[in-house]
Amino acid sequence: MNSFKEVFEQYQWDEVKTRLEKVTISEVRNSLQKRNRTLDDFLNLLSPAASQELELMANMTRALTQKRFGKTIQLYAPLYLSNECQNICTYCGFSLDNNLRRKILSDSELMIESTVLKSMGVNHVLLVSGEANKIVGVPYFQNAVRLLRPHFSNISIEVQPLKESEYKLLHEEGVHSVLVYQETYHQEVYKEYHPKGKKSNFYFRLDTPDRIGRAGIHKMGLGVLLGLEDWRVDSFFNALHIDYLQKQYWKSKFSVSFPRLRPAEGIIEPNFIMEDKDLLQLICAYRIWNEDLEISISTRENENFRNHIVALGATTMSAGSKTNPGGYAVDKESLEQFETSDERSMEEIKTMIKKSGYDPVMKDWDAVYSGV
Ligand code: SF4
């Protein structure tokens, strides 16, 4: 296989949906008892039938996560570089058709923002931007990484999908991980959510993790935007993608995130509501299927959910996040991409993690060992 597209095209959305609906409780129990689990087991654990075994799944998830990752939670914070975007995405505050004041951080503004993050104790920073390749493209990112690298032990990016050669350039600058979410694997409705701009090209986005893998980036993060489509079917396709990538790029590490659609200026309501118990089931299904996967929980989730998930599968959390460019210091009023739900400070999150009996980790040693 040369790209995930070849795998993807072997599956039909409606068939996966029907398979999920037909899973029986005995198939779920059989999957839970296995030593080595396959993607079919993931599907069983994701099914409506598996919700009956949620307590057992949660206990298994806690034990498996502690065995593989210890009682630690890695902490990071996003740094929004720009809200310029050439795409229309019907669920995002930065969408091209949303009339907002656009902003791109200058070098000096970037350094002011980074000083605030350092004062919060942040060592792992995620650089985020809208998708405006001509004005916030690879040269801008190279410069930003060069400026920030002396101050942070780990730099990740969540920006527009790039070419393989461009990922290589950013890798050379010191980018450790790249996050790219397909948003939804439902090809037809993908077009409706992304009517204009480069992002409307479903397959260019779908092939992005392959380009990241070929460029030798150390870690990649995948996910779907939960709320756009049936979360069970979308999550099966996301796991199918990870399964393929792990086999193809076995030197890379993988993380999965669970962004649930949040309110933002001028955006649509979720099409599919995902309850907290559904999200817990999804996290458990991922962990029980794949013990090595990093599981990242952002401030989109509410305080109560985040307090509980510390001991139930999470390995990474953002904290104290601002989702607007300049949000920490230089332009606090610029428009945010979405409203955060957990607004506690980094210190408060650290305290909460310690109270749960876990260690908050600010420095990602993994980045040191990988030589980035
Ligand atoms: S989701 Fe990304 S690409 Fe779409 S409008 Fe928002 S910033 Fe732009």
Side-chain angles (χ1 to χ4, degrees):
M1 298 279 177
N2 290 320
S3 83
F4 176 63
K5 184 179 176 198
E6 294 168 52
V7 179
F8 177 75
E9 288 184 334
Q10 293 170 18
Y11 289 80
Q12 298 298 323
W13 181 278
D14 289 341
E15 281 174 19
V16 172
K17 190 171 168 56
T18 306
R19 274 179 67 193
L20 279 158
E21 284 160 2
K22 285 189 173 164
V23 172
T24 64
I25 190 67
S26 67
E27 287 172 315
V28 173
R29 287 177 184 143
N30 188 33
S31 290
L32 287 171
Q33 280 166 8
K34 282 184 170 177
R35 263 176 171 257
N36 297 311
R37 298 179 187 91
T38 65
L39 208 54
D40 286 340
D41 296 308
F42 177 76
L43 183 137
N44 289 343
L45 300 177
L46 195 62
S47 68
S51 59
Q52 297 170 54
E53 291 290 4
L54 191 52
E55 195 175 335
L56 173 59
M57 286 172 66
N59 288 334
M60 288 175 70
T61 297
R62 181 184 290 113
L64 288 168
T65 307
Q66 281 185 17
K67 189 176 86 176
R68 171 67 181 79
F69 295 92
K71 293 179 85 174
T72 61
I73 300 286
Q74 301 272 348
L75 289 171
Y76 74 96
L79 200 175
Y80 274 66
L81 302 172
S82 160
N83 58 14
E84 287 281 359
C85 192
Q86 296 301 313
N87 293 315
I88 293 181
C89 301
T90 57
Y91 48 81
C92 176
F94 293 173
S95 187
L96 178 66
D97 57 350
N98 201 356
N99 189 14
L100 63 119
R101 188 166 52 84
R102 302 283 171 174
K103 176 157 190 68
I104 304 171
L105 292 188
S106 66
D107 287 1
S108 58
E109 288 174 329
L110 187 63
M111 294 322 292
I112 293 169
E113 292 287 284
S114 88
T115 304
V116 176
L117 287 173
K118 290 301 293 181
S119 72
M120 289 160 54
V122 172
N123 248 317
H124 176 181
V125 69
L126 170 66
L127 306 184
V128 187
S129 76
E131 301 193 8
N133 209 36
K134 286 199 180 120
I135 43 178
V136 188
V138 171
Y140 181 92
F141 300 133
Q142 282 176 298
N143 177 60
V145 174
R146 237 170 257 159
L147 289 170
L148 296 174
R149 198 170 168 196
H151 306 285
F152 296 93
S153 63
N154 186 316
I155 298 179
S156 306
I157 58 167
E158 186 181 340
V159 303
Q160 65 269 35
L162 301 171
K163 296 179 195 155
E164 182 182 331
S165 58
E166 294 173 322
Y167 284 124
K168 278 187 180 150
L169 289 174
L170 293 177
H171 181 50
E172 283 161 17
E173 292 293 348
V175 167
H176 177 261
S177 333
V178 179
L179 278 59
V180 62
Y181 305 143
Q182 185 62 28
E183 317 295 13
T184 177
Y185 288 84
H186 193 305
Q187 208 173 341
E188 288 80 45
V189 303
Y190 181 94
K191 284 266 176 218
E192 293 166 24
Y193 287 119
H194 309 100
K196 188 170 185 300
K198 199 165 183 182
K199 194 167 175 177
S200 58
N201 185 336
F202 179 85
Y203 280 114
F204 183 73
R205 198 167 187 89
L206 194 74
D207 277 343
T208 306
D210 273 296
R211 298 194 296 278
I212 298 169
R214 286 196 296 269
I217 297 277
H218 184 66
K219 182 159 73 186
M220 51 185 126
L222 278 78
V224 292
L225 185 53
L226 299 162
L228 296 185
E229 269 303 314
D230 184 320
W231 63 269
R232 288 190 162 94
V233 186
D234 249 338
S235 298
F236 172 79
F237 278 101
N238 194 61
L240 179 71
H241 207 162
I242 292 171
D243 192 53
Y244 156 84
L245 292 165
Q246 279 188 316
K247 288 173 185 146
Q248 197 81 359
Y249 309 103
W250 52 271
K251 285 185 180 168
S252 300
K253 291 185 150 202
F254 296 87
S255 74
V256 64
S257 303
F258 306 89
R260 277 195 282 189
L261 198 55
R262 290 283 306 150
E265 187 82 16
I267 71 148
I268 53 158
E269 289 293 311
N271 206 11
F272 287 81
I273 302 293
M274 185 185 209
E275 307 287 350
D276 284 359
K277 67 174 178 20
D278 299 330
L279 183 50
L280 176 60
Q281 184 188 342
L282 178 59
I283 290 169
C284 293
Y286 269 111
R287 171 58 69 234
I288 296 168
W289 165 59
N290 190 325
E291 296 178 16
D292 291 329
L293 205 53
E294 294 187 19
I295 287 181
S296 181
I297 307 292
S298 80
T299 54
R300 284 177 185 258
E301 297 310 324
N302 62 55
E303 286 190 26
N304 188 41
F305 186 84
R306 288 189 10 124
N307 291 350
H308 286 96
I309 211 64
V310 164
L312 285 173
T315 59
T316 312
M317 280 181 151
S318 54
S321 305
K322 301 293 176 204
T323 66
N324 49 331
Y328 294 104
V330 300
D331 192 357
K332 292 186 177 181
E333 300 308 315
S334 74
L335 191 96
E336 56 195 358
Q337 189 181 29
F338 59 86
E339 288 175 21
T340 54
S341 180
D342 186 348
E343 296 188 343
R344 288 174 292 179
S345 68
M346 183 64 82
E347 274 313 307
E348 288 172 313
I349 296 297
K350 281 186 187 169
T351 304
M352 175 275 285
I353 291 170
K354 283 181 196 158
K355 270 191 190 157
S356 306
Y358 281 66
D359 283 331
V361 178
M362 304 303 288
K363 190 170 174 93
D364 185 355
W365 292 104
D366 185 49
V368 179
Y369 293 130
S370 66
V372 175

